[in-house]
Amino acid sequence: MRADTHDIPTLKVLLVGNSNVGKTAIFERFVDDFYDPETTTATIGVDFRSKIVEVRDTKVKLNIWDTAGQERFRSLTSSYFRNALGALIVFDLSVYETFEQLPLWFRELRTYSSDQQVATVVVGAKLDKVGSRVVNRSEGMAMADKNGAGYIEVSAKTGVGVVEAFEMLIGRIMDTPALWKDGDVLARTDSVVAVDQVEEGTRYCGC
Amino acid sequence: MDYKERLSKLRRLLGSSGAVIVDLSQLRELSLRGIPDDNLRPLTWKLLLGYIPLEKDQWNATLTSKRDAYYDYLRDLLQDPDGDPQDHPLNSSASSKWGIFFEDNNTLEQIDKDIKRTLPDIAFFQQLVRRDPLSPLSPVLTATYNVLEEESRSSMDDVFGRLSMDQLSIGQPEMKNNHTSAVSDSQAPSSGERHSTSPLSSRISSPPLDVRPINTRRSLFRRIQHLNRNFGSDYRQNSSSKSIISKTDVDDPQIDDYHWEVVERILFLYAKLNPGIGYCQGMNEIIGPLYYVLAQSGEVGAEPDTFWCFSSVMSEIREVFIRTSDFDEDQGIGAIVGRFMEHMKTVDPELSDHLDSNQVHPTYFALRWFTCMICQEFSLPSVIRIWDSVFADYDIFRQTMTNVDSMKVQSGGFHFLHDYCCAMLLCIRDDLLQLNFAEIVKMLQCYPLSDIGPILAKSYILRDYRLSGSKALLDIIRSSFKPYQSNEEHGFRTSLNTIRSKAAFLKNINIKASNGTWSANSSEAAMSPKSDNLRESATNLFSRFRQKSGTPNSSSEDICTSLSSSRGFFSRSWTRTDSPIASPTVVLSEAPPTSHLANIKGSGAGLMRKMGQILSPSLIPQRADLDDVKDIRSSFEIGEDDAEEEKFQRLTES
């Protein structure tokens, strides 16, 4: 495992959004291609997994942090934002309030991630709940545009759009040169990161 | 004490034939290794959590008054805000009852979502609460309704009937006749009636006079009815009950509650009564096992009992749910996790280093372990078993002394939870040591062991260590650490462990390859209680060195660099080119020649003497020549303070 991943650049990305919008479902669908409505419990703190994906002929290792949505964990989860290069900001297409809170999540990201330019994609979740939809597509796209984010609608239940959402995010990270300047992200491998951390101490975590 | 003995002792202790006052310390001792009888668990937990007093003759009165208090809270707080002509739903002022009402509904929605997401995998929570004429929370009984209901719910009653019968025949031979026991008093009518085929009329014809039904008990579910459009009907269809209740009936006073609805009601009431905490995710996890244990027997007061026991548990761990305490130094989840890792460092410095050097912050896993009292990591039966120990170890009067520094200040009295979490790490430490960041976090977030036996076994040793402070117990723990790779490696690792465990001295020293010599930085923090003296010596050593060298502010790093030539000798024992330890504690790329021994004797003798104490003798012969050993040994003998001073003098000059 270690040998395989040795030279693959590592990207830290986040899943954020209100509680119960389906972050963990998207996360599990993407990482394990698995969906089970019965066993998803509220995320406490943060869940982490990594996955290697290929985008534009480049292999990257995604370190994905699935954060708790509830207000109570805000101060804790924001500490995971550091050095994130991108974030999926998830809302529930069937609950308007979760859409209204998107600006708050943009603000949180800009405040707590170390890079102002952190790439973002707004993800409308639960696309499968056709009848209950209360946020329409143009509204969602307008919100994303206004905040310089990508926009995609997904269903973790059916799997529609999940992989694409992550690919869109990686693409946006690749397209944001400012994210590279500082740390030369794509050149940063696991081992390099480890040395970075030990020697510099200040450059916190690339993973 | 074997299982049978514990069982009979516990029965005697709690039964009517035993003493009139339960001996708490004996109860704790008997429960520490698991409460031997499932049917005694509800009573035992209530006692251990301080919900009911130790005096058996007061159990009944206490339960009655506490349960009544709960019912009164419900009567007060489940009222809809109507009646005041000045107030109306669109009133936006803060004091508006409607305003509070809508705010409450947000809480309620959150609870509802979490409960439904948490408990669906346990069938129990999808079942209906058994009716009981003694409970104000049971539907109002009417003859016609009951006949219909009774028929439609016959399949459910079978389940419950069997359950209670088993419990009565196996579980409580003594309790049955114990009229001072609240448990038997309240259980006998309900359980007995359930499994018997007594005619329905007997229930209706003799309703207890003092039971005032709470007609608003389902008003909560009406408030969030819109959320249950799909969910409720799904479950009502799926559950063993054949009665499908349409959504319009949600607050019909004759509808039975589901167990998950009861849990919601308790959490809502707790949030209302504790506005400083409110409701937080994680509480839903904690209340699950409590309610399951207390309600499974079908006892009439399960709901209020759970509320009070939950309140007791929360009083110990409430800080973890308070956001403003997150970064508090003494309390809050940050402090708890911090102290937990501090303790880990004492117990297993190698693992602690490994996690540190891989940037695995303890909040990535321990936050959830502590917030949910490990509910999310194990199956329900395991959690209940672990909680037996947690509650048994819990000293409600706070008289138990803790003799380990890192455990002394703890938020909450659930020390065993710390022991257990510590043991969880220790049980997989050999695997963790070989993994990188991503793999470690994954393993810790999806804990791989489901058999809790070995984890508990280690927890008990850690508990003994906590209570006694005996370092010998730590050695027992460490002796099970798996040797790494080959036999040679084993020797190396054992020695390394010995060094680590003794090497407070090496605190702040992280040795890495640098020109074949040693430098240091501050990530090695091998602190062992064993090394108190050594630590002191080391501190003195360094401070004297600073004085002598005229660089009072020089870091340990500088000092160690200066000392490097003399200490380089040890590199040969520790050279590892392909270290599995991500932040090599001791890695030297180049072994200095034996001639360095001369330097050792000459300049670093004082230090070497200390090193001699640190080094396990077995390490030296392992790779050094016999002559070398002799030399080292002799240099270790240099012991007089004067001589040491002199060596330091020379050392600083070199």
Side-chain angles (χ1 to χ4, degrees):
Chain A
M1 177 83 186
R2 193 178 277 256
D4 292 343
T5 62
H6 193 74
D7 294 322
I8 300 179
T10 301
L11 308 184
K12 173 177 177 175
V13 300
L14 308 166
L15 275 157
V16 300
N18 278 25
S19 80
N20 205 38
V21 296
K23 295 181 292 297
T24 304
I26 293 172
F27 175 73
E28 286 182 348
R29 169 61 83 185
F30 180 67
V31 177
D32 299 324
D33 198 16
F34 168 83
Y35 176 80
D36 181 356
E38 297 266 305
T39 59
T40 52
T41 62
T43 305
I44 305 293
V46 67
D47 280 340
F48 168 88
R49 295 289 283 284
S50 63
K51 180 168 178 161
I52 292 169
V53 289
E54 197 172 326
V55 176
R56 300 181 196 165
D57 300 324
T58 309
K59 269 193 178 171
V60 296
K61 181 175 164 192
L62 277 189
N63 278 352
I64 309 163
W65 296 81
D66 171 27
T67 64
Q70 205 197 11
E71 180 80 25
R72 183 258 164 283
F73 297 106
R74 262 335 119 76
S75 58
L76 295 166
T77 47
S78 57
S79 67
Y80 306 127
F81 288 10
R82 262 182 303 181
N83 292 310
L85 300 178
L88 296 180
I89 308 181
V90 187
F91 72 99
D92 183 341
L93 285 166
S94 65
V95 180
Y96 203 81
E97 193 204 344
T98 64
F99 176 70
E100 288 176 317
Q101 300 245 323
L102 289 178
L104 180 138
W105 286 107
F106 278 108
R107 222 169 24 245
E108 290 264 316
L109 273 173
R110 291 190 185 115
T111 312
Y112 294 107
S113 64
S114 31
D115 203 311
Q116 295 285 309
Q117 309 247 10
V118 55
T120 45
V121 170
V122 170
V123 178
K126 308 192 186 174
L127 185 57
D128 50 279
K129 291 170 80 176
V130 184
S132 338
R133 179 171 181 142
V134 293
V135 181
N136 65 45
R137 193 178 172 84
S138 55
E139 205 175 356
M141 290 184 87
M143 169 74 84
D145 272 355
K146 196 174 131 198
N147 289 282
Y151 182 77
I152 190 168
E153 295 179 352
V154 310
S155 164
K157 192 173 181 178
T158 62
V160 169
V162 171
V163 173
E164 290 78 1
F166 282 93
E167 284 175 355
M168 184 187 280
L169 183 65
I170 298 165
R172 294 183 78 90
I173 293 173
M174 289 174 165
D175 293 339
T176 313
L179 288 172
W180 313 86
K181 273 184 199 157
D182 185 26
D184 190 21
V185 181
L186 279 192
R188 206 193 292 169
T189 64
D190 272 358
S191 54
V192 173
V193 170
V195 171
D196 271 353
Q197 286 153 4
V198 172
E199 288 185 342
E200 296 177 23
T202 48
R203 173 118 205 139
Y204 192 66
C205 191
C207 27
Chain B
M1 208 185 310
D2 69 359
Y3 171 81
K4 274 187 180 169
E5 198 182 339
R6 278 194 295 142
L7 181 59
S8 69
K9 279 195 174 177
L10 189 63
R11 282 184 174 162
R12 206 161 42 242
L13 191 68
L14 299 176
S16 55
S17 55
V20 288
I21 298 177
V22 176
D23 179 343
L24 183 62
S25 60
Q26 208 188 344
L27 182 69
R28 292 175 60 195
E29 196 188 319
L30 290 169
S31 311
L32 183 66
R33 281 164 199 269
I35 293 164
D37 181 348
D38 283 347
N39 299 300
L40 291 177
R41 183 171 285 117
L43 176 61
T44 310
W45 279 18
K46 286 174 197 169
L47 286 163
L48 292 172
L49 289 171
Y51 168 46
I52 54 173
L54 299 172
E55 294 81 6
K56 289 178 187 171
D57 60 354
Q58 290 179 29
W59 287 355
N60 227 353
T62 305
L63 283 176
T64 307
S65 73
K66 292 269 193 176
R67 288 169 182 177
D68 283 348
Y70 176 82
Y71 298 136
D72 286 344
Y73 287 142
L74 279 187
R75 287 191 182 94
D76 287 350
L77 292 169
L78 296 187
Q79 296 291 345
D80 284 353
D82 43 13
D84 181 355
Q86 301 299 314
D87 207 357
H88 53 84
L90 298 178
N91 186 344
S92 59
S93 78
S95 60
S96 162
K97 281 182 186 166
W98 280 101
I100 297 168
F101 176 78
F102 289 126
E103 207 178 293
D104 287 350
N105 286 0
N106 289 336
T107 308
L108 199 54
E109 284 183 18
Q110 179 76 59
I111 295 172
D112 187 68
K113 286 173 188 168
D114 291 344
I115 288 296
K116 280 185 293 195
R117 286 199 288 168
T118 312
L119 303 173
D121 50 341
I122 303 165
F124 172 76
F125 290 97
Q126 268 59 253
Q127 293 167 351
L128 293 168
V129 178
R130 236 182 340 148
R131 295 189 169 197
D132 198 305
L134 288 173
S135 169
L137 289 166
S138 261
V140 185
L141 298 171
T142 62
T144 44
Y145 182 74
N146 254 290
V147 172
L148 291 171
E149 271 298 291
E150 209 63 29
E151 279 169 5
S152 68
R153 294 176 54 215
S154 56
S155 58
M156 273 271 290
D157 275 358
D158 285 349
V159 175
F160 275 121
R162 268 201 308 279
L163 208 76
S164 347
M165 196 133 58
D166 289 350
Q167 282 162 352
L168 283 175
S169 55
I170 302 166
Q172 298 174 303
E174 300 165 359
M175 307 295 285
K176 248 176 168 175
N177 301 323
N178 176 5
H179 287 286
T180 59
S181 154
V183 171
S184 67
D185 271 0
S186 52
Q187 225 172 27
S190 55
S191 314
E193 189 182 73
R194 271 312 184 194
H195 70 264
S196 73
T197 50
S198 66
L200 202 56
S201 56
S202 72
R203 281 167 71 183
I204 300 160
S205 62
S206 56
L209 292 173
D210 57 339
V211 176
R212 275 194 298 143
I214 301 172
N215 292 322
T216 54
R217 73 191 162 88
R218 295 196 53 80
S219 68
L220 290 181
F221 310 120
R222 187 185 61 231
R223 295 197 204 175
I224 50 169
Q225 197 174 341
H226 58 288
L227 297 175
N228 289 316
R229 266 181 309 219
N230 303 318
F231 182 84
S233 55
D234 282 356
Y235 276 98
R236 282 178 208 270
Q237 280 162 10
N238 291 341
S239 75
S240 52
S241 164
K242 290 178 200 123
S243 65
I244 300 166
I245 294 161
S246 74
K247 57 188 175 185
T248 50
D249 295 336
V250 76
D251 60 340
D252 182 336
Q254 290 189 332
I255 291 184
D256 294 87
D257 296 330
Y258 282 111
H259 285 295
W260 64 264
E261 290 176 326
V262 171
V263 174
E264 277 189 33
R265 196 156 53 208
I266 301 171
L267 284 175
F268 178 74
L269 192 70
Y270 182 84
K272 282 291 283 179
L273 293 175
N274 297 273
I277 313 180
Y279 166 75
C280 301
Q281 286 177 339
M283 292 181 185
N284 56 327
E285 305 280 342
I286 290 174
I287 201 166
L290 280 175
Y291 181 71
Y292 181 77
V293 163
L294 298 177
Q296 216 192 6
S297 64
E299 197 185 330
V300 62
E303 180 172 338
D305 292 354
T306 304
F307 171 80
W308 291 111
C309 287
F310 178 70
S311 298
S312 296
V313 170
M314 286 303 295
S315 71
E316 289 303 327
I317 61 164
R318 66 200 295 271
E319 299 297 342
V320 310
F321 291 104
I322 298 177
R323 187 177 165 180
T324 48
S325 300
D326 283 350
F327 302 108
D328 192 285
E329 274 181 24
D330 297 324
Q331 50 191 13
I333 188 68
I336 290 173
V337 169
R339 276 194 295 267
F340 168 64
M341 287 317 284
E342 191 66 26
H343 188 57
M344 267 313 293
K345 199 177 271 183
T346 313
V347 176
D348 188 350
E350 188 176 10
L351 179 61
S352 175
D353 281 353
H354 183 65
L355 297 182
D356 268 359
S357 58
N358 276 285
Q359 303 277 324
V360 179
H361 195 273
T363 53
Y364 300 162
F365 55 95
L367 173 82
R368 192 172 78 197
W369 293 1
F370 285 105
T371 303
C372 301
M373 295 179 67
I374 51 88
C375 273
Q376 283 195 347
E377 323 304 318
F378 298 95
S379 67
L380 184 63
S382 299
V383 169
I384 290 171
R385 167 63 194 83
I386 297 160
W387 283 15
D388 279 351
S389 298
V390 172
F391 296 156
D393 179 69
Y394 170 56
D395 181 7
I396 195 154
F397 300 115
R398 300 187 187 277
Q399 289 166 336
T400 317
M401 298 300 287
T402 290
N403 285 303
V404 179
D405 286 345
S406 53
M407 297 284 281
K408 264 187 182 142
V409 199
Q410 292 287 357
S411 170
F414 295 146
H415 296 294
F416 191 84
L417 193 60
H418 284 249
D419 299 331
Y420 187 84
C421 291
C422 213
M424 279 172 71
L425 285 180
L426 293 179
C427 282
I428 54 170
R429 53 101 59 194
D430 296 323
D431 298 316
L432 291 174
L433 283 174
Q434 309 200 31
L435 303 178
N436 65 27
F437 173 83
E439 297 157 336
I440 294 172
V441 178
K442 185 180 171 187
M443 181 175 268
L444 290 174
Q445 289 190 344
C446 311
Y447 192 75
L449 308 179
S450 53
D451 178 9
I452 60 170
I455 308 172
L456 281 168
K458 277 200 168 61
S459 311
Y460 292 125
I461 303 176
L462 287 165
R463 175 180 183 267
D464 290 345
Y465 166 64
R466 165 164 57 80
L467 295 175
S468 69
S470 159
K471 315 288 191 299
L473 292 164
L474 274 191
D475 292 338
I476 293 174
I477 292 270
R478 291 185 185 134
S479 66
S480 66
F481 291 172
K482 192 176 156 192
Y484 190 75
Q485 290 175 355
S486 64
N487 281 343
E488 192 184 33
E489 283 295 335
H490 174 63
F492 164 74
R493 197 149 276 265
T494 315
S495 310
L496 198 61
N497 280 337
T498 315
I499 292 166
R500 282 169 179 280
S501 68
K502 293 181 181 178
F505 187 163
L506 288 180
K507 184 171 174 10
N508 299 326
I509 303 178
N510 186 20
I511 299 138
K512 60 185 180 186
S514 163
N515 305 323
T517 59
W518 294 22
S519 64
N521 64 30
S522 60
S523 78
E524 162 72 87
M527 297 272 287
S528 161
K530 257 188 181 170
S531 52
D532 281 339
N533 296 335
L534 276 170
R535 191 182 308 154
E536 218 173 278
S537 322
T539 314
N540 291 339
L541 224 56
F542 278 132
S543 68
R544 277 190 296 181
F545 183 85
R546 288 190 182 115
Q547 285 165 11
K548 303 256 179 210
S549 61
T551 51
N553 296 322
S554 63
S555 65
S556 345
E557 181 165 353
D558 302 328
I559 298 172
C560 289
T561 311
S562 310
L563 297 180
S564 61
S565 62
S566 58
R567 296 161 72 203
F569 158 78
F570 290 99
S571 64
R572 279 186 300 159
S573 306
W574 295 339
T575 298
R576 299 168 56 78
T577 46
D578 137 45
S579 169
I581 312 169
S583 162
T585 311
V586 193
V587 175
L588 264 187
S589 56
E590 206 180 299
T594 321
S595 62
H596 272 237
L597 281 175
N599 293 337
I600 295 170
K601 270 196 276 183
S603 62
L607 184 63
M608 287 306 303
R609 195 172 62 82
K610 302 297 177 193
M611 289 297 281
Q613 291 171 333
I614 291 165
L615 277 176
S616 133
S618 67
L619 178 66
I620 303 163
Q622 192 183 342
R623 303 195 193 183
D625 295 338
L626 204 61
D627 283 349
D628 294 358
V629 177
K630 238 190 205 163
D631 280 342
I632 301 166
R633 287 263 163 79
S634 67
S635 68
F636 290 161
E637 304 302 322
I638 305 175
E640 290 80 34
D641 282 344
D642 290 351
E644 201 180 315
E645 283 293 318
E646 192 189 315
K647 302 299 181 275
F648 264 94
Q649 191 69 47
R650 265 188 263 163
L651 185 60
T652 53
E653 287 158 10
S654 69

